[in-house]
Amino acid sequence: MLTHVRHVTPVAPDAADGPVARVYRQMVDDFGVFAPPVLLHSPAPDVLRACWLMLRETLLAEGLVGRDAKEVVATAVSESNRCPYCVEVHGATAAGLLGDAGGWLAAGVGGIGDRRLRALAEWARHSGADNPARRRRPPFPAEHGPELIGVVVAFHYLNRMVSVFLQESPLPPTPAGMRTGVRRTAARIMGALARADRPPGRSLELLPPAPPEADLAWAVGQPHVAAAFARAGQAVRRRGEAALPEHVRRRVLACLADAPPPEPGGGRWVDAAVAELSPAERPAARLALLTALAPYRVTDADVAACRTGGADDATLVAVTAWASLAAARRIGARLYEDGPAPPPAGVPGADLAVGEEASRAGES
């Protein structure tokens, strides 16, 4: 698993101690494996903890929404972000939980037969759109918002980090004719690992309490989700402040607030965006902007330029994590502003529950 990570050297499980070891223990207990999307954060232990809090308390922790629906959301967000690594992992998990390893697993979330899950996938797939007209109204009751928006925000964050730091696929190179069989095997394994119950809130002790912030209002209905994002946000912000000067952070945030850039062919748009900064500041600012807005465009040369400027592994993780979370939190705030969709005429609110656990909750 460590070989999946590029650009930085993660802490090996047998060498971990202190906060890193605590996260690793929880990861194996609750996720079942040493997950490279989490491991890649280990050069910056506080950012590692932040990543784990966001992932665990949304995707893994028990709540009103079933794990199958959350995995569908994670896969749909990952498809929209061009993150094949996360599509493979979470598509396999969803297929394993839904018992359909050879059907929609091959076709993607567009092949989902269940009406409610398909609507949820479409909502998640369009969640990153800046134009409200391109987003979908949430196909779930308001009380499910903290968990489902939480998964969306967590994966808009994780997809960016994975695009920068991981190889394209977790699966070994496989001839085309054997790929379906490999995916079916992965679905059985990942689905089995995802069936255990994970009580909410276990990860919160890894980071100190933090005050709530306005853009996290969507999380208020689930205290463990709200606490996870407040604590994680504080940790990532502090690391970002240490890694990037204030005027550089302001420049990145201004670009996030503006209309999205054109398709960044050749990176000309990002060169223009950082032109007013000093030559020493441009490499990290460029890496932050690309991570936030087009992570699949980050190149070895972008990382090497930061290294030449003195960035170590911890700084690279801090810069990209700060940018990733800034982009993801903007998405969460917009989804909250969209509000829940009203129930269709003649359809009881309980019928909008997603996932097996949610359906049972609606019927009780």
Side-chain angles (χ1 to χ4, degrees):
M1 291 297 184
L2 297 181
T3 60
H4 293 192
V5 182
R6 56 184 184 168
H7 301 314
V8 297
T9 302
V11 177
D14 59 0
D17 58 11
V20 174
R22 291 165 67 192
V23 172
Y24 283 10
R25 283 195 295 270
Q26 286 198 13
M27 183 172 23
V28 172
D29 288 347
D30 291 342
F31 205 62
V33 295
F34 289 110
V38 180
L39 291 174
L40 71 85
H41 294 77
S42 59
D46 43 358
V47 182
L48 171 71
R49 287 178 282 175
C51 168
W52 177 243
L53 261 68
M54 291 187 288
L55 177 63
R56 186 200 184 277
E57 300 304 330
T58 56
L59 184 71
L60 308 184
E62 295 176 83
L64 299 175
V65 181
R67 176 73 179 270
D68 52 0
K70 294 178 183 180
E71 292 288 351
V72 167
V73 167
T75 306
V77 171
S78 301
E79 281 191 1
S80 73
N81 285 328
R82 310 185 197 184
C83 183
Y85 193 103
C86 290
V87 170
E88 290 278 14
V89 172
H90 297 283
T93 306
L97 289 169
L98 293 167
D100 186 19
W104 74 268
L105 179 59
V109 293
I112 297 173
D114 183 277
R115 175 182 61 86
R116 292 172 297 180
L117 291 175
R118 187 169 62 250
L120 192 61
E122 283 299 303
W123 167 79
R125 187 154 46 189
H126 291 84
S127 60
D130 286 277
N131 185 345
R134 294 185 58 204
R135 297 197 295 272
R136 303 292 189 264
R137 291 299 301 277
F140 50 81
E143 58 268 28
H144 295 171
E147 294 173 44
L148 292 172
I149 295 177
V151 173
V152 167
V153 174
F155 276 84
H156 275 290
Y157 169 80
L158 277 168
N159 292 161
R160 286 163 167 80
M161 298 298 289
V162 167
S163 292
V164 174
F165 291 109
L166 292 189
Q167 64 187 32
E168 279 202 356
S169 174
L171 301 178
T174 308
M178 298 176 60
R179 198 158 187 82
T180 298
V182 172
R183 284 176 166 169
R184 285 176 175 159
T185 299
R188 286 195 296 271
I189 294 170
M190 297 302 294
L193 291 173
R195 294 184 189 280
D197 294 336
R198 278 89 175 176
R202 182 190 179 195
S203 70
L204 299 181
E205 52 90 18
L206 295 170
L207 284 173
E213 297 184 63
D215 69 321
L216 298 176
W218 53 265
V220 168
Q222 285 281 23
H224 64 285
V225 176
F229 277 88
R231 295 175 192 215
Q234 178 174 264
V236 172
R237 181 176 62 251
R238 287 175 175 171
R239 286 295 302 174
E241 290 171 353
L244 293 167
E246 182 180 0
H247 64 279
V248 174
R249 299 195 310 274
R250 285 201 307 266
R251 184 72 190 111
V252 173
L253 293 175
C255 290
L256 277 173
D258 289 342
E263 180 65 16
R268 289 183 295 274
W269 67 274
V270 75
D271 291 336
V274 303
E276 296 178 2
L277 302 175
S278 73
E281 294 167 337
R282 289 173 196 163
R286 178 185 173 85
L287 178 61
L289 271 173
L290 283 171
T291 300
L293 294 170
Y296 49 88
R297 293 285 186 178
V298 173
T299 67
D300 292 351
D302 292 315
V303 176
C306 291
R307 292 282 194 192
T308 300
D312 59 8
D313 284 5
T315 300
L316 289 173
V317 171
V319 167
T320 50
W322 176 83
S324 295
L325 192 55
R329 284 176 62 154
R330 283 181 56 81
I331 291 168
R334 289 199 303 258
L335 294 178
Y336 182 67
E337 291 169 0
D338 289 344
V347 178
D351 286 348
L352 291 177
V354 288
E356 294 180 2
E357 292 175 85
S359 297
R360 289 196 297 270
E363 294 166 359
S364 60

